[in-house]
Amino acid sequence: MWGALTSLNDVLIPHFQHVFKLNLKFSMLVQTFFFASYFLFSLPSAKIIDWMGYHRAMVTGLLVMGLGAFLFVPAAKVPSFHLFLTALVVLAAGITLLQVAANPYVAVLGKPETASSRLNLTQAFNSLGTTIAPWVGGFFILASAAQAMNQTPVEQAASVIKPYVGLGIALVLLAIVIASFRLPKIPSAEHRIGEKINDSIWKHPSLIYGAMGIFLYVGAEVAIGSSIANYLALDNIGHLASPGNFPDTARRYQEALRAAAKYISLYWGGAMVGRFIGSAVLQKVKTSSVMAICTIMAALLVTVSVLGTGPVAMWSILLVGFFNSIMFPSIFTMGIAELGPLTGKGSGVMIMAIVGGAIIPWMVGFIGDSINARSYGGENWGQGIHYALIVPAFCYLYLLFFAVSGSKPNSERYAKS
């Protein structure tokens, strides 16, 4: 569910560009407000877990997510971009609480050696949501985009109501189901309010390096996913709408956006396939080694896409999703390794770093708009998003450092030779 709601943002961005006449930079505020919630609510979520435990925190997170989804109805009725952003903040606050509770719970629910494998398995189902949602969102939200040129903003905005109301109902039902489960308690990873601990998260460098890794990884992943629709809609990349069928430039671009939504599913689908494979591979191969290979491949593919055009640029950027697959769960489990009763607080720090998804996509949009402005009227106008996508390649270079060196836990980092 949180995967589906996260990837639907990739469909909302081009939709809001059309409904509210936004440029790249302002449309990326969808991600900025959504992922800023992780920064604002992660540490409070850790406190909530201390107060009510992992199980009830997960249920509460689902209910808050449902509230955020239902808030899309009044936002669409007005319609108001600001109200949509408010609904996204509430939605993301619930996802934050859910992630702060669920991710470390899965990580410590078994042997430490296979924590990455377990989290990759659960994250694979997250990716199932990110794979299906853009296709569904494209059908409900963007399907009539090419024919919506004469509709009022209210009529255009109303296309978000059905999918988000449906998701809101599903979230409430899921909260009720999970509330009825009897999940095992893990006292070794729980911290009760008032309990004194002779340790600090700041004494674990792998957590700090890992938080920076989460910041850059999520930023890179979201920047690419958020840009795919606009990127593939370029005539020299996806060529998804023929001028012969849509001679009007505006209609052709809207049709290209609708077609591109299906390819967003391929990007996130690659992550799903990679996580199922990674769950098995990480049972046998050291997590840091697998991650190092994936970061190198992701950086190379982004570079190839930015330097290329046509099918090469298109498929290389989509293939990045496959190599992204094991990164988040691997960074997360290596970052919270050996934290013991500080696991909940460490998880809060790691989830707070997801704010990278708010900042880096906006940077990519800003750079893309700047390039467009400098080449306005020229043959390269509109290509800003193409060149701006080089930013994620630099993010993957840091992740290579984390895999090779920064991820070492204290027992290994300070081991006597």
Side-chain angles (χ1 to χ4, degrees):
M1 292 303 295
W2 86 54
L5 288 159
T6 301
S7 66
L8 269 178
N9 291 348
D10 300 339
V11 175
L12 291 177
I13 287 171
H15 181 61
F16 288 159
Q17 285 173 354
H18 176 67
V19 175
F20 299 108
K21 312 304 179 190
L22 305 174
N23 61 16
L24 282 170
K25 178 176 63 178
F26 283 102
S27 66
M28 286 294 187
L29 288 176
V30 167
Q31 302 293 26
T32 300
F33 274 71
F34 185 86
F35 286 97
S37 293
Y38 285 90
F39 184 81
L40 295 173
F41 298 112
S42 288
L43 293 183
S45 293
K47 294 291 185 182
I48 290 173
I49 293 170
D50 289 345
W51 173 49
M52 64 172 55
Y54 288 105
H55 188 183
R56 285 188 287 177
M58 293 180 212
V59 174
T60 304
L62 286 165
L63 292 174
V64 175
M65 289 167 66
L67 173 62
F70 289 131
L71 287 176
F72 269 68
V73 177
K77 293 291 186 182
V78 174
S80 167
F81 184 54
H82 296 90
L83 287 179
F84 276 119
L85 294 178
T86 301
L88 284 166
V89 168
V90 175
L91 183 63
I95 294 178
T96 301
L97 178 55
L98 182 63
Q99 290 224 44
V100 174
N103 284 331
Y105 185 83
V106 170
V108 299
L109 195 64
K111 296 179 180 179
E113 296 80 11
T114 54
S116 292
S117 175
R118 281 192 303 280
L119 197 53
N120 264 284
L121 180 61
T122 57
Q123 288 282 327
F125 289 95
N126 178 302
S127 296
L128 177 62
T130 62
T131 301
I132 295 173
W135 187 87
V136 175
F139 177 80
F140 281 103
I141 298 173
L142 297 179
S144 59
Q147 290 77 36
M149 306 299 290
N150 298 321
Q151 288 184 341
T152 67
V154 174
E155 292 172 324
Q156 295 166 7
S159 62
V160 306
I161 293 178
K162 286 184 179 180
Y164 276 90
V165 168
L167 287 166
I169 293 171
L171 285 162
V172 172
L173 292 176
L174 187 59
I176 294 171
V177 170
I178 291 182
S180 67
F181 287 170
R182 296 187 63 182
L183 299 180
K185 296 184 181 297
I186 311 174
S188 62
E190 294 180 352
H191 170 222
R192 296 303 176 190
I193 295 175
E195 178 187 358
K196 292 186 178 180
I197 302 173
N198 187 27
D199 196 3
S200 168
I201 57 174
W202 306 112
K203 295 180 181 179
H204 296 264
S206 58
L207 174 66
I208 309 306
Y209 289 132
M212 189 62 188
I214 291 289
F215 180 93
L216 293 173
Y217 163 70
V218 173
E221 179 190 50
V222 172
I224 294 172
S226 301
S227 303
I228 284 176
N230 285 298
Y231 189 58
L232 300 189
L234 295 173
D235 285 341
N236 69 327
I237 302 295
H239 198 64
L240 299 176
S242 171
N245 296 330
F246 299 93
D248 178 79
T249 302
R251 287 182 179 274
R252 185 167 74 251
Y253 189 67
Q254 289 298 322
E255 176 61 22
L257 287 176
R258 184 197 66 77
K262 297 177 182 178
Y263 289 93
I264 298 173
S265 292
L266 291 180
Y267 173 72
W268 295 108
M272 177 185 67
V273 172
R275 282 172 176 168
F276 278 117
I277 295 173
S279 179
V281 171
L282 290 168
Q283 293 274 352
K284 306 292 182 182
V285 184
K286 191 175 181 180
T287 303
S288 58
S289 300
V290 178
M291 184 175 166
I293 294 171
C294 289
T295 55
I296 292 171
M297 290 302 301
L300 287 174
L301 286 167
V302 171
T303 304
V304 167
S305 185
V306 170
L307 296 178
T309 58
V312 171
M314 174 177 167
W315 291 107
S316 56
I317 203 69
L318 292 174
L319 190 56
V320 173
F322 177 82
F323 292 99
N324 276 343
S325 58
I326 60 95
M327 290 190 198
F328 182 93
S330 297
I331 298 168
F332 191 92
T333 52
M334 289 190 287
I336 66 169
E338 302 183 1
L339 289 185
L342 291 174
T343 299
K345 184 179 290 186
S347 174
V349 172
M350 295 288 276
I351 300 300
M352 184 170 65
I354 291 177
V355 72
I359 297 172
I360 294 176
W362 184 88
M363 288 175 55
V364 170
F366 178 82
I367 294 170
D369 282 336
S370 299
I371 295 172
N372 286 341
R374 287 198 298 272
S375 60
Y376 188 83
E379 63 175 310
N380 290 324
W381 189 85
Q383 298 295 315
I385 194 64
H386 186 181
Y387 307 122
L389 278 178
I390 193 62
V391 172
F394 293 102
C395 298
Y396 291 122
L397 292 180
Y398 173 85
L399 296 174
L400 177 60
F401 153 76
F402 176 74
V404 173
S405 176
S407 61
K408 294 178 181 178
N410 284 355
S411 61
E412 185 177 342
R413 187 179 300 274
Y414 303 124
K416 295 181 178 179
S417 57

